[in-house]
Amino acid sequence: MPASRETIESAFNQRATTYDNNSWHIRYAERLVELAAPAAGMRILDAATGTGFAAIAAARAAGPTAHVLGVDISDGMLSRARQSMTSLGMTNVDLIKADAASLPNLDTGSFDLVLCSAGLLYLPIRTALREWRRLLKPGGLVAFSTMREGFPVAARLFREQASHYGLALTDPATPLGMPSRCRQELRDAGFIPAQVVTETVRFSRADLEYAWQAHTQGPHHDAIAALSPTQVATFRAEYTSTLADLLNTNEDHALTSEVIYALGRAGRQETDTQL
Ligand SMILES: C[S@@+](CC[C@H](N)C(=O)[O-])C[C@H]1O[C@@H](n2cnc3c(N)ncnc32)[C@H](O)[C@@H]1O
């Protein structure tokens, strides 16, 4: 069953203070923005902006004549984003608390670009993409990123180990985790797939120090709450040691994650979407 909005919000409120410690988050977000190539004067929506990595990168790339709106449901993440905007002196980024999949207060056809970095696995995919299609001007671009199915390796290992405790955790990357699925979702939402590329993101060893925390506080794995404190302690010790072994025997495998960047164009006319 997908996690509720309240569960997701609370999970990210808890993670907000340490989220920026993971060095890969920013590289992952900045690469999406690089591929989307925002231009001067654009109106840009950063859906599920989190601590604002993609919003900041887009505002920098598009310059002072552009405007970026970041939306997120987590007050904790938004508060970190606000701190960053203030310390960077960014005046062309606004941040609001809202559900990125339903933005009735925003006008149809009012954005040139919608970004969503690492956010769609928490959202109802089709509903969100359709909403962003509505918000885009004809010819506008949507750009999102997602893990390829089975990645990150540390998360796969976590799920495998969880099965030893009777927990059947599913891979949250599965619904979008293949380029063909990204293209299909883009088409189903009325976009013309423009560019769908698989690349890798490299974690640092320090990133993996947060792996247990990220998995157990994440909204996809709340079934762990069913375990007793003793089981959790044993699970944690086993997971940490298996991950350390993997890092020592096959560091590249443990630290490299395949990711997908998918870009779709809003057709200029309804018939364009038939392409
Ligand atoms: C993994 S973080 C990604 C944050 C940021 N885009 C980045 O690249 O670092 C996912 C974010 O999605 C947000 N989120 C989840 N569901 C949401 C929803 N329905 N509406 C808006 N934001 C949502 C979470 O609060 C969290 O900040």
Side-chain angles (χ1 to χ4, degrees):
M1 200 174 69
S4 70
R5 193 184 138 158
E6 289 71 27
T7 306
I8 294 171
E9 185 178 348
S10 144
F12 278 100
N13 282 341
Q14 276 189 65
R15 277 185 72 190
T17 50
T18 54
Y19 187 84
D20 289 4
N21 295 347
N22 284 77
S23 70
W24 66 278
H25 286 141
I26 189 164
R27 285 182 274 115
Y28 190 26
E30 287 181 346
R31 177 63 181 144
L32 178 72
V33 174
E34 189 180 10
L35 289 167
M42 279 189 168
R43 268 186 60 80
I44 301 163
L45 173 69
D46 183 25
T49 192
T51 58
F53 288 141
I56 291 167
R60 278 203 180 114
T65 58
H67 181 265
V68 183
L69 178 65
V71 304
D72 203 281
I73 48 162
S74 160
D75 284 315
M77 298 293 270
L78 284 168
S79 151
R80 302 293 292 192
R82 279 196 191 96
Q83 284 168 20
S84 295
M85 302 308 162
T86 305
S87 65
L88 292 168
M90 287 205 155
T91 52
N92 59 340
V93 182
D94 282 317
L95 297 164
I96 55 168
K97 182 174 181 176
D99 182 348
S102 173
L103 295 160
N105 294 334
L106 301 182
D107 291 338
T108 298
S110 54
F111 288 90
D112 301 282
L113 172 63
V114 177
L115 298 164
C116 185
S117 168
L120 265 173
L121 77 166
Y122 306 101
L123 297 167
I125 297 167
R126 187 97 24 109
T127 308
L129 285 172
R130 285 198 173 141
E131 179 66 333
W132 303 340
R133 172 73 184 82
R134 178 186 76 76
L135 293 171
L136 280 169
K137 296 174 186 169
L141 193 69
V142 67
F144 65 82
S145 60
T146 187
M147 286 282 153
R148 204 172 157 118
E149 188 172 41
F151 291 95
V153 172
R156 186 160 75 215
L157 197 64
F158 178 85
R159 289 190 295 276
E160 280 165 14
Q161 302 251 309
S163 71
H164 304 159
Y165 295 85
L167 301 178
L169 304 179
T170 54
D171 181 354
T174 297
L176 274 177
M178 298 291 281
S180 57
R181 287 179 212 150
C182 292
R183 279 192 207 94
Q184 192 56 50
E185 289 293 348
L186 282 169
R187 279 192 208 98
D188 289 347
F191 289 102
I192 303 159
Q195 190 182 9
V196 178
V197 290
T198 301
E199 296 188 2
T200 56
V201 163
R202 175 105 181 161
F203 296 82
S204 67
R205 277 180 165 255
D207 286 336
L208 290 197
E209 284 168 21
Y210 299 94
W212 172 264
Q213 184 190 14
H215 303 318
T216 52
Q217 289 182 0
H220 297 294
H221 296 148
D222 56 351
I224 196 175
L227 301 182
S228 70
T230 312
Q231 285 176 311
V232 172
T234 317
F235 179 10
R236 181 174 189 159
E238 277 175 14
Y239 175 67
T240 308
S241 114
T242 311
L243 188 56
D245 285 349
L246 184 63
L247 274 166
N248 290 332
T249 53
N250 196 346
E251 186 182 82
D252 276 347
H253 178 60
L255 295 180
T256 308
S257 207
E258 289 188 23
V259 298
I260 303 170
Y261 300 99
L263 282 67
R265 190 70 68 187
R268 291 189 182 278
Q269 299 169 359
E270 279 307 303
T271 48
D272 285 355
T273 60
Q274 309 299 318
L275 292 172

